[in-house]
């Protein structure tokens, strides 16, 4: 039965199903479980609350010290980049605008990446955080350009051009209301809050969606933008074959899942 | 039922009275949602526990200007997705596939559905079982719509889909429930007794 091809008899039946749903009781938990979880929920809250009270006066002095140190730091600090480098895989080689950047100094690396027009992760893997807009996992062999992410830039669409390798992204709490466009080969990927991956494969370019809204536009796909559903992929071949739609391959989904986990640590 | 505004304001400070009332209001709703989505008591208990422990850790980030319901169910939906992505769930899916479950049975063609043949209690019981056989996206749309009373728009915001997509999922969920109930009456009822 298709929901779009209902008969009059089916419509009557829908009313019955809906009426039955309204009368269907909510499943009830075991009373012991409910009580035990209540105790843990309230005890843990109480413990945190009282430990905060105990450290009250000591905290004031500590805070004063921290304020003095912080003031000194802010007066003397180098300009802090909006971007942060969260992880650099051992042996990573990174170029910013064609110049190799030392990966040991993450602050310097973040500044270089933020101000660069083009980034090339020659080997290894780098995870960067663009403020509260997004996390990016840039894999080996990836050329990528970012536009619209710098705080000095005019607010507008965020543009990411990935021309090789593999790029994974997960948007953050500062993203809602913005739009990200990813240009990957012959594909345009429009994103409105999501976790997604672009992988250049030998056969073509693969876009995977973990959750959220990802729309792919490409001549190969057709005139209209097509949505990639959560857990699914769209592979646009280099040759004339029709795009392949299906489940995200494990090799693409797993690193995306790890980036999602990382994002949840940062933005619970 | 939602938490009164005066208690909402006390939640981020972990006020015991506000937390106790919060738990009273949301425990049944969260457990009911997860039990329907997961189909097993033990799993529902595990994930419910994760949800409330997460809430307990993150309660200071709650915005009292907003009703807690959407915040709570967003956390619950995220925990549910964590579970679905987990190894444990993947193993269970694999077992189910090996056992031959999950096969779709096409509906029987007829002019009138067989639901009137079911008694109310039996219908309710069978419906609960049938909800458990829906695909997770359809089950989620159905459960949030019927058991949590959310609008299609609110569900869409929660799961990152537009309203039309949620309506479609919901409509397909009803169609699948209908199929499951028909199958029960026409094929399975006699065999179960």
């Amino acid at each position: 039965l298709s929901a779009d091809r209902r008969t009059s008899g089916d419509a009557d039946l829908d009313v019955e199903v809906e009426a039955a749903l309204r009368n269907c009781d909510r499943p009830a938990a075991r009373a012991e479980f409910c009580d035990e979880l209540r105790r843990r929920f309230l005890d843990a809250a109480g413990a945190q609350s009282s430990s905060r009270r105990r450290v009250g006066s000591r905290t004031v002095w500590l805070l004063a010290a921290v304020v003095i140190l912080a003031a000194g730091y802010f007066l003397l600090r180098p300009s802090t980049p909006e971007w942060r480098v969260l992880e650099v895989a051992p042996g990573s080689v990174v170029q910013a605008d064609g110049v190799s950047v030392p990966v040991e100094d993450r602050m310097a690396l973040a500044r270089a990446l933020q101000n660069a027009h083009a980034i090339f992760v020659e080997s290894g893997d780098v995870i960067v955080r663009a403020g509260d807009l997004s996390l990016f996992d840039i894999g080996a062999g990836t050329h990528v350009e970012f536009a619209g992410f710098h705080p000095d830039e005019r607010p507008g669409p965020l543009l990411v051009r990935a021309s090789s390798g593999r790029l994974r992204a997960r948007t953050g709490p500062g993203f809602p209301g913005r739009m990200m466009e990813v240009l990957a080969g012959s594909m345009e990927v429009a994103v409105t809050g999501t976790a997604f991956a672009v992988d250049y494969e030998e056969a073509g370019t693969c876009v995977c969606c973990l959750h959220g809204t990802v729309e792919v536009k490409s001549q190969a796909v057709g005139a209209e933008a097509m949505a990639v559903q959560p857990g699914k992929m769209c592979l646009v071949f280099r040759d004339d074959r029709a795009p392949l739609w299906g489940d995200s391959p494990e090799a693409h989904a797993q690193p995306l899942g790890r980036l999602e986990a990382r994002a949840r640590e940062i933005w619970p | 039922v939602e938490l009164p505004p005066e208690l909402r304001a006390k939640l981020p400070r972990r006020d015991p009275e506000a937390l106790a009332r919060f738990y009273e209001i949301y425990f049944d709703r969260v457990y009911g949602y997860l039990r329907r989505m997961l189909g097993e008591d033990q799993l529902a208990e595990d994930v419910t526990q994760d949800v409330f422990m997460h809430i307990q850790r993150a309660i200071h980030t709650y915005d009292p200007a907003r009703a807690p319901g959407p915040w709570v169910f967003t956390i619950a939906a995220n925990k549910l997705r964590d579970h679905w992505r987990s190894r444990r769930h993947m193993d269970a899916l694999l077992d189910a596939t090996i056992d031959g479950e999950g096969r779709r049975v096409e509906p029987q063609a007829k002019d009138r559905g067989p639901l009137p043949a079911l008694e109310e209690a039996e219908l309710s019981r069978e419906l609960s079982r049938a909800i458990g056989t829906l695909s997770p996206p359809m089950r989620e749309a159905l459960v949030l719509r019927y058991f949590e009373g959310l609008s299609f728009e609110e569900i869409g915001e929660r799961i990152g889909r537009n309203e039309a997509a949620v309506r479609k999922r919901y409509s397909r969920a009803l169609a699948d429930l209908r199929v499951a109930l028909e199958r029960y009456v026409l094929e399975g009822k006699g065999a179960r007794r």
Side-chain angles (χ1 to χ4, degrees):
Chain A
L1 272 185
S2 158
D4 301 320
R5 289 186 284 118
R6 292 179 178 173
T7 65
S8 59
D10 293 332
D12 289 344
L13 202 56
D14 276 356
V15 173
E16 285 180 303
V17 172
E18 288 182 309
L21 280 168
R22 276 191 286 275
N23 293 325
C24 211
D25 290 334
R26 173 184 284 146
R30 290 183 301 120
E32 301 80 29
F33 169 67
C34 175
D35 293 343
E36 173 62 19
L37 185 56
R38 181 205 304 271
R39 188 189 60 72
R40 290 185 57 198
F41 181 70
L42 298 178
D43 282 358
Q48 288 198 14
S49 175
S50 61
S51 77
R52 281 177 189 181
R53 280 196 299 273
R54 276 201 303 276
V55 298
S57 60
R58 216 172 24 171
T59 305
V60 171
W61 288 106
L62 279 173
L63 277 176
V66 167
V67 166
I68 292 166
L69 287 171
Y73 170 75
F74 278 105
L75 287 172
L76 301 172
R77 73 190 167 119
S79 61
T80 307
E82 181 69 17
W83 282 35
R84 291 181 201 163
V85 175
L86 303 182
E87 288 178 25
V88 182
S92 293
V93 177
V94 180
Q95 293 179 12
D97 288 337
V99 178
S100 288
V101 184
V103 296
E104 299 78 22
D105 182 349
R106 292 192 179 185
M107 289 279 281
L109 179 59
R111 270 197 299 275
L113 297 186
Q114 175 172 289
N115 296 321
H117 293 293
I119 298 165
F120 176 40
V121 176
E122 194 176 330
S123 62
D125 189 279
V126 178
I127 297 180
V128 295
R129 171 181 173 179
D132 277 340
L133 289 174
S134 187
L135 293 187
F136 292 102
D137 180 357
I138 311 171
T142 306
H143 280 275
V144 64
E145 297 169 42
F146 295 95
F149 288 85
H150 196 283
D152 295 343
E153 288 179 280
R154 195 178 298 169
L158 304 166
L159 295 176
V160 180
R161 182 188 297 275
S163 49
S164 67
R166 59 174 190 78
L167 176 73
R168 304 178 203 293
R170 201 284 202 170
T171 56
F175 185 80
R178 307 290 295 270
M179 166 71 87
M180 191 190 302
E181 290 174 24
V182 182
L183 306 176
S186 63
M187 279 201 285
E188 290 175 32
V189 183
V191 177
T192 50
T194 185
F196 69 97
V198 176
D199 285 83
Y200 280 83
E201 302 286 354
E202 197 173 334
T205 310
C206 178
V207 174
C208 293
C209 172
L210 182 63
H211 61 74
T213 306
V214 174
E215 288 187 340
V216 173
K217 198 170 179 185
S218 165
Q219 277 192 335
V221 171
E224 297 292 322
M226 296 285 286
V228 181
Q229 304 291 341
K232 302 291 182 183
M233 64 141 202
C234 172
L235 172 62
V236 174
F237 291 100
R238 291 186 203 285
D239 54 29
D240 293 337
R241 276 177 288 171
L244 179 66
W245 299 82
D247 292 336
S248 296
E250 199 60 21
H252 297 179
Q254 268 193 354
L256 193 51
R258 284 198 293 274
L259 188 66
E260 171 70 18
R262 194 79 165 86
R264 287 196 181 164
E265 288 171 10
I266 299 167
W267 302 307
Chain B
V1 179
E2 282 287 4
L3 198 65
E6 63 273 18
L7 289 181
R8 276 190 218 166
K10 295 178 179 176
L11 275 180
R13 300 197 301 269
R14 300 175 196 276
D15 177 85
E17 182 197 354
L19 285 171
R21 186 79 183 112
F22 171 90
Y23 186 87
E24 277 173 27
I25 292 173
Y26 290 104
F27 173 80
D28 284 342
R29 293 178 60 183
V30 169
Y31 178 83
Y33 164 65
L34 293 170
R35 175 62 181 77
R36 286 200 188 284
M37 294 302 295
L38 292 164
E40 285 181 37
D41 292 337
Q42 186 58 53
L43 279 180
E45 287 187 1
D46 289 349
V47 182
T48 302
Q49 180 174 291
D50 285 349
V51 170
F52 277 93
M53 288 299 105
H54 182 103
I55 288 172
Q56 199 280 322
R57 288 192 299 274
I59 196 82
H60 63 282
T61 66
Y62 162 68
D63 175 7
R66 299 180 177 188
W71 183 69
V72 170
F73 277 94
T74 299
I75 293 171
N78 287 338
K79 292 292 177 190
L80 192 58
R81 289 194 178 85
D82 287 348
H83 167 74
W84 279 334
R85 281 197 292 265
S86 68
R87 180 66 186 268
R88 183 179 174 186
H89 176 63
M90 294 301 174
D91 289 347
L93 274 184
L94 184 63
D95 289 346
T97 306
I98 291 168
D99 292 344
E101 289 180 11
R103 284 173 298 181
R104 290 178 69 91
V105 175
E106 293 306 315
Q108 304 291 313
K110 61 194 149 301
D111 294 328
R112 177 82 182 145
L115 294 195
L118 290 176
E119 294 296 327
E120 192 171 313
E122 186 182 12
L123 178 61
S124 178
R125 189 183 64 242
E126 189 55 25
L127 199 53
S128 292
R129 194 197 62 77
I131 289 168
T133 66
L134 295 174
S135 71
M138 284 195 279
R139 206 183 317 156
E140 185 168 43
L142 186 87
V143 170
L144 288 175
R145 171 77 179 152
Y146 263 102
F147 301 105
E148 300 313 322
L150 302 187
S151 68
F152 291 120
E153 189 180 359
E154 287 171 326
I155 297 169
E157 285 170 9
R158 189 91 27 98
I159 64 178
R161 309 294 303 170
N162 63 35
E163 187 180 337
V166 176
R167 279 183 187 279
K168 192 172 178 184
R169 280 185 187 182
Y170 163 74
S171 179
R172 287 180 57 194
L174 281 187
D176 279 11
L177 282 186
R178 193 166 65 230
V179 169
L181 292 172
E182 287 175 358
R183 182 180 57 182
Y184 174 72
V185 172
L186 297 173
E187 298 175 4
K189 190 177 176 183
R192 284 190 185 91
R193 286 183 171 170

